[in-house]
Amino acid sequence: MLCDSCKEREAVINLTQVEHDSKVTLHLCEQCAQAKGVETGVAVLKSPLGGFITAMGKGATSVLPTTDGLRCSSCGGTLKDFRDSGRLGCAQCYEAFDAHLRDLLRRLHGSSQHVGERYVVPGDVDTDPRRQLLDLREQLRRAVENENFELAAELRDRIRVLE
Amino acid sequence: MIDLSLLPDGGMSWLDASGPKGSIVLSTRIRLARNLQGYAFSQRARDGDRSAVLTRVEEAVAASDHLSGAVTFRLDQLERADRQLLHERHLVSKELAGLDREARPRPGAALLVRGPVGVMVNEEDHLRLHGMRSGFALEEAYVDLEAADADLGRLLPFAFHPEFGYLTSCPTNAGTGLRASVLIHLPGLVLTKEIGKVLQGLSQVGLTFRGLYGEGSEVVGNFFQLSNQTTLGKSEEELLDHLGKIVRQVIEYEEQAREVLLRDHEAIIADKIWRAFGTLKFARSISFEETMNLLSGVRLGAGLNLIPGLSVYTLNKLLIFTQPAHLAALEGRSTGDPELPTVRATYVRRVLEAEAG
């Protein structure tokens, strides 16, 4: 499809705008889109959110230009992976990229401090038998996976008692 | 073919137009994003991790007071038409159903449903819990959801950070993980050309709007999903209160716009509504998009009591059952059947004749 604006180049961006009462969709080439003030980085084309987050994080990038290779020791994901995809690899990424994410969260939400419900992770010494049962089953699965059959047999007995 | 009759109400009680402001608000949906400690987020997880996550969620659901007995749909084991059906019914996201071109559902992708609460497993986050209600009912939707969340949170270790709150794959959902959406029909504001101002105003107060199917979908038939943009830095109650206040205002504007239309332009509006009704009733071939746009007009007519004997519930059902996968399932066709537009016109005619004569 040709660009709606210059009618010469191939359109690569669909720009949907709400003007007064109606929705207008323009098909634009990269140059015309830029002229209209639309961000057209490669990341934007790959993932709208990735591009958005990259754009949001630009201030931080210019101050800390060498941190793209920062790596989460738990899942192996890098800060660059996150900037490209807009998705974090695991919960530990929040610790690994702590400073960047705090900055980003402030830009996205206006704050990085959670004030909603406080969640308490169910403890190891838990009195809820349902929770104990689920924990034992999980341990049993891992024991079987690791071929630790002695432990598995013991766990199975404890599960039977609880059931 | 999946058996949706396993769900007592077909997962569609939210459609019955019984809720508050049912002629303007179709439904209220709230979702919470949660992840399990110890596993990479869904996109980075290995297949083994995803199936472990699913097993743990299934066990927790079975042990939970509020969710035990839930019906499970394994998206990764369903045919495309069935996955599309669940998506059209607003029970799963496009991502979970793997409906994008050349996409497949992730191994371990599943939906567990009990009553108004559903849990998507291995979506962008390990768990996406949702509560749906008919009409404008934020509090009711949250009560169901909060109970299910508290239950699962006691049985599963969720990823939570003292500063950032619930940790999610995308930082736009971190904190509460809560996104509340109200699916609202605003033909009055569109016809009076006030909609642009309203939508612009929404972004200034931290809300956002989307189309009928949520993120990334187009606005058709004057249906808008209004939802909170941010999830962190405000409590769950504050987020819901704020959205509720603004939606109440939008409903008021819509009611005023409908009054103005009736007062100043009744002949024109009546003509538009009856023409839409006439086309729906007599067309012999019709696309889903055209059906939606005409239903929007007829729905306005029913809301204004201009078309007697036609219930909003019937129109809501038409909205769902004229979608490709639903229509195909209902009439024993395939979703790619070139005769679907003809089949759709016949179906619509039959329903309207049965109800409105």
Side-chain angles (χ1 to χ4, degrees):
Chain A
M1 185 186 290
L2 285 181
C3 170
D4 288 337
S5 179
C6 65
K7 314 245 184 254
E8 286 173 5
R9 290 175 290 263
E10 190 67 13
V12 292
I13 300 226
N14 296 334
L15 176 65
T16 305
Q17 289 176 312
V18 177
E19 282 175 6
H20 306 297
D21 58 324
S22 60
K23 190 186 65 174
V24 186
T25 303
L26 287 174
H27 307 279
L28 299 171
C29 68
E30 191 157 351
Q31 284 87 336
C32 293
Q34 264 171 358
K36 286 184 185 288
V38 180
E39 180 84 33
T40 62
V42 180
V44 175
L45 293 177
K46 264 198 248 162
S47 148
L49 193 64
F52 172 63
I53 285 169
T54 310
M56 295 289 285
K58 261 186 182 156
T61 324
S62 56
V63 186
L64 303 158
T66 56
T67 51
D68 265 14
L70 211 62
R71 187 178 289 274
C72 169
S73 61
S74 179
C75 71
T78 64
L79 194 55
K80 184 173 184 310
D81 291 338
F82 167 60
R83 290 203 165 126
D84 289 344
S85 70
R87 300 285 185 277
L88 291 157
C90 71
Q92 278 69 43
C93 289
Y94 279 89
E95 303 282 351
F97 315 137
D98 176 275
H100 293 269
L101 285 174
R102 184 170 293 110
D103 191 52
L104 176 65
L105 288 169
R106 282 186 187 145
R107 287 160 193 253
L108 287 169
H109 301 278
S111 164
S112 65
Q113 182 59 56
H114 174 63
V115 295
E117 183 215 324
R118 304 306 300 177
Y119 174 69
V120 182
V121 180
D124 293 334
V125 199
D126 204 308
T127 48
D128 186 340
R130 296 178 307 171
R131 159 89 192 147
Q132 279 179 5
L133 196 59
L134 295 187
D135 268 355
L136 288 173
R137 285 202 191 123
E138 175 66 10
Q139 285 177 41
L140 173 63
R141 251 196 310 277
R142 292 192 184 209
V144 173
E145 259 172 39
N146 299 327
E147 300 184 4
N148 188 346
F149 297 114
E150 214 169 303
L151 177 64
E154 188 198 318
L155 288 166
R156 195 168 300 132
D157 291 344
R158 285 174 60 193
I159 289 170
R160 281 210 189 112
V161 172
L162 273 175
E163 278 173 343
Chain B
M1 196 71 229
I2 50 170
D3 186 5
L4 286 173
S5 63
L6 290 172
L7 304 173
D9 56 2
M12 287 204 298
S13 63
W14 56 275
L15 257 189
D16 68 8
S18 64
K21 298 284 178 193
S23 72
I24 294 179
V25 177
L26 260 90
S27 62
T28 301
R29 182 179 190 278
I30 307 176
R31 66 97 164 130
L32 298 170
R34 301 287 184 254
N35 285 283
L36 297 191
Q37 287 179 5
Y39 300 95
F41 293 150
S42 302
Q43 277 182 333
R44 204 171 181 89
R46 290 168 296 128
D47 287 352
D49 290 340
R50 292 198 193 104
S51 73
V53 166
L54 177 58
T55 307
R56 294 194 65 178
V57 174
E58 282 178 323
E59 285 177 357
V61 162
S64 134
D65 295 334
H66 294 90
L67 289 169
S68 68
V71 180
T72 304
F73 297 99
R74 289 286 302 260
L75 276 299
D76 54 354
Q77 295 169 4
L78 291 179
E79 296 294 327
R80 189 187 167 88
D82 290 337
R83 287 182 269 130
Q84 194 176 334
L85 197 75
L86 291 173
H87 174 60
E88 287 180 358
R89 211 162 274 204
H90 295 246
L91 288 170
V92 300
S93 63
K94 209 172 175 184
E95 175 172 339
L96 192 79
L99 292 175
D100 282 318
R101 216 180 309 162
E102 289 173 36
R104 288 273 317 148
R106 288 190 189 103
L111 164 75
L112 290 85
V113 195
R114 182 179 139 180
V117 178
V119 185
M120 288 193 275
V121 186
N122 288 312
E123 216 258 9
E124 180 184 308
D125 295 297
H126 294 147
L127 289 94
R128 285 278 178 103
L129 290 90
H130 67 249
M132 285 219 271
R133 284 278 166 163
S134 169
F136 180 39
L138 282 165
E139 281 154 34
E140 292 82 348
Y142 190 58
V143 168
D144 301 331
L145 187 60
E146 197 184 20
D149 175 49
D151 238 6
L152 292 186
R154 275 191 293 272
L155 297 163
L156 296 166
F158 288 153
F160 185 85
H161 187 283
E163 181 183 353
F164 304 146
Y166 288 100
L167 302 179
T168 52
S169 165
C170 182
T172 52
N173 297 314
T176 56
L178 181 149
R179 182 103 51 220
S181 328
V182 175
L183 183 55
I184 188 166
H185 185 221
L186 302 174
L189 288 170
V190 172
L191 284 168
T192 54
K193 304 187 193 298
E194 295 289 324
I195 192 72
K197 266 185 264 172
V198 171
L199 296 179
Q200 271 170 11
L202 286 180
S203 64
Q204 284 163 11
V205 293
L207 300 187
T208 181
F209 75 95
R210 300 180 167 119
L212 186 59
Y213 300 102
E215 198 165 334
S217 68
E218 301 243 336
V219 173
V220 278
N222 306 318
F223 289 102
F224 298 82
Q225 274 199 38
L226 310 186
S227 58
N228 58 307
Q229 176 116 41
T230 62
T231 55
L232 181 61
K234 290 200 180 77
S235 71
E236 290 80 0
E237 286 68 27
E238 284 171 322
L239 290 170
L240 295 174
D241 277 356
H242 182 61
L243 177 69
K245 258 184 217 144
I246 305 295
V247 170
R248 257 189 294 282
Q249 245 173 41
V250 174
I251 293 172
E252 259 172 50
Y253 292 151
E254 172 65 19
E255 285 170 341
Q256 283 166 11
R258 291 181 184 194
E259 272 169 37
V260 168
L261 286 172
L262 264 190
R263 195 186 61 212
D264 300 347
H265 309 282
E266 189 180 346
I268 300 174
I269 292 308
D271 182 60
K272 267 186 196 289
I273 288 166
W274 282 106
R275 275 171 187 274
F277 186 62
T279 308
L280 277 178
K281 212 172 153 185
F282 293 104
R284 288 308 192 251
S285 170
I286 193 164
S287 71
F288 175 62
E289 186 155 346
E290 188 182 0
T291 309
M292 288 281 298
N293 288 326
L294 296 171
L295 276 175
S296 170
V298 175
R299 204 171 188 282
L300 175 64
L304 294 174
N305 292 321
L306 287 178
I307 302 182
L310 196 56
S311 76
V312 172
Y313 183 30
T314 300
L315 297 172
N316 288 355
K317 274 194 292 192
L318 276 177
L319 211 71
I320 293 294
F321 281 99
T322 55
Q323 297 173 105
H326 275 81
L327 190 66
L330 203 65
E331 303 288 329
R333 305 276 181 147
S334 79
T335 48
D337 193 324
E339 286 176 17
L340 227 42
T342 320
V343 173
R344 181 177 291 113
T346 311
Y347 171 72
V348 172
R349 213 160 56 233
R350 209 167 58 221
V351 172
L352 290 181
E353 271 166 13
E355 177 131 349

